[in-house]
Amino acid sequence: MKIKKSSFAGMFYPNSQEDIIKMIEYFNTIDSSSIGCQDIKAMIVPHAGYIYSGYSANLAYKRLSTQDIKTVVVIGPSHRVYFDGVSVAKYDGYETPFGDLSVDDTLIQGLESSFDIGFYPKAHQEHSTEVQMPFIKYYMPEVNVVELVYANIDAKRLSEIISFCMQESIAVVISSDLSHFYDIDKVNRLDSICIKAIDDLDVDMLNQGCEACGKLGIEALLIYAKQYGLVSHILDYRTSADVTKDKSEVVGYISALFCKE
């Protein structure tokens, strides 16, 4: 079997399940969010190191685990490799500290036959998608995954791919951090645009100053959500300054649910 080996264990997240469990248990002791959602279709989650953005991500995955989900589609931006379109990871499984995740071959075959999707192995040495896998395996150990990494693609085209994935018992995860390495006041100002756009499903607003690294994925999800009547629920917003106390070079993080109501 061809297993996708971890590239960032011990860097963005601990390489032992015991240490990840300790982090998740700590996150859950301070989880004060009361937002509920009966039918979660998609989420936006961050992809920084767990010490910075893990709390935000954990809020979303904890809630997704209450749903009847068979496959999670993880969609993230390519930070290291430039290519046209979307790459689908054609492996038999994904290595995580909690054991390997299985892959939804049927969905991958459907995506390949319906869209111009390739497989660029180097594109999948990608932290925006890999950091999601331990959360998925911890909370939903029996689910399958599909990993999609995008580079140069139109948001409307990516929204069509998202639409194809929105089948019964499938959830879509959009991976994105928000603005990067400004002072705290500028980060909060720029991120408020992203948050308002997500809350209102407003693509025009998203493009009026939001500097999310996964903005294209967010835009594609907003297009889909607006078209198919999903409602967004902001779970959490925080910045790296909450951990580092450094307010001079800050990164923003958000988690949000998209639900059918």
Side-chain angles (χ1 to χ4, degrees):
M1 293 181 67
K2 189 176 182 181
I3 302 298
K4 169 65 176 64
K5 297 296 184 180
S6 300
S7 299
F8 301 99
M11 298 170 59
F12 281 77
Y13 58 91
N15 56 15
S16 77
Q17 59 177 273
E18 292 81 7
D19 288 340
I20 296 177
I21 290 171
K22 287 179 183 178
M23 295 185 81
I24 290 175
E25 288 178 344
Y26 171 71
F27 295 150
N28 286 337
T29 64
I30 56 175
D31 178 358
S32 60
S33 173
S34 60
I35 293 175
C37 185
Q38 298 302 312
D39 191 3
I40 300 171
K41 297 298 185 183
M43 314 189 309
I44 298 170
V45 291
H47 55 238
Y50 282 14
I51 62 170
Y52 303 111
S53 66
Y55 176 78
S56 292
N58 183 71
L59 283 174
Y61 285 110
K62 182 180 177 182
R63 283 149 184 78
L64 185 62
S65 69
T66 66
Q67 311 286 291
D68 181 21
I69 301 297
K70 300 296 190 296
T71 296
V72 178
V73 179
V74 180
I75 303 175
S78 177
H79 285 82
R80 296 167 180 81
V81 179
Y82 183 84
F83 57 94
D84 288 328
V86 175
S87 177
V88 61
K90 297 184 70 173
Y91 299 99
D92 298 307
Y94 286 84
E95 180 183 58
T96 83
F98 298 104
D100 295 341
L101 280 161
S102 298
V103 170
D104 188 335
D105 290 319
T106 301
L107 182 57
I108 289 175
Q109 291 169 11
L111 286 165
E112 287 181 314
S113 64
S114 300
F115 301 94
D116 184 19
I117 291 180
F119 173 37
Y120 309 103
K122 290 184 179 180
H124 298 277
Q125 308 300 313
E126 175 53 57
H127 72 275
S128 71
T129 46
E130 182 181 315
V131 299
Q132 314 305 332
M133 302 303 177
F135 278 117
I136 293 170
K137 184 66 176 177
Y138 174 81
Y139 277 111
M140 298 164 285
E142 302 304 319
V143 303
N144 297 316
V145 294
V146 171
E147 180 193 31
L148 299 174
V149 177
Y150 63 85
N152 181 33
I153 187 173
D154 179 76
K156 289 183 179 179
R157 186 60 170 167
L158 185 56
S159 74
E160 293 170 1
I161 294 172
I162 290 172
S163 180
F164 182 89
C165 293
M166 289 290 188
Q167 303 173 27
E168 185 176 356
S169 300
I170 296 179
V172 171
V173 171
I174 300 296
S175 176
S176 181
D177 293 338
L178 298 185
S179 54
H180 287 59
F181 306 131
Y182 298 115
D183 65 70
I184 186 67
D185 291 333
K186 187 171 183 178
V187 163
N188 286 337
R189 184 169 67 253
L190 293 174
D191 290 352
S192 68
I193 299 171
C194 307
I195 294 167
K196 180 66 172 173
I198 292 168
D199 205 26
D200 294 345
L201 307 182
D202 190 334
V203 170
D204 291 337
M205 179 177 289
L206 189 73
N207 290 307
Q208 292 177 15
C210 176
E211 292 191 10
C213 61
K215 187 174 77 168
L216 194 148
I218 295 174
E219 181 177 349
L221 179 57
L222 295 187
I223 291 170
Y224 173 85
K226 189 78 170 181
Q227 183 176 358
Y228 290 94
L230 300 188
V231 177
S232 64
H233 297 274
I234 306 297
L235 287 174
D236 186 62
Y237 170 69
R238 63 192 53 241
T239 74
S240 58
D242 294 318
V243 175
T244 66
K245 310 307 178 185
D246 179 0
K247 297 183 179 181
S248 62
E249 292 191 342
V250 180
V251 181
Y253 314 111
I254 191 175
S255 59
L257 303 179
F258 289 73
C259 311
K260 190 73 174 180
E261 294 186 346

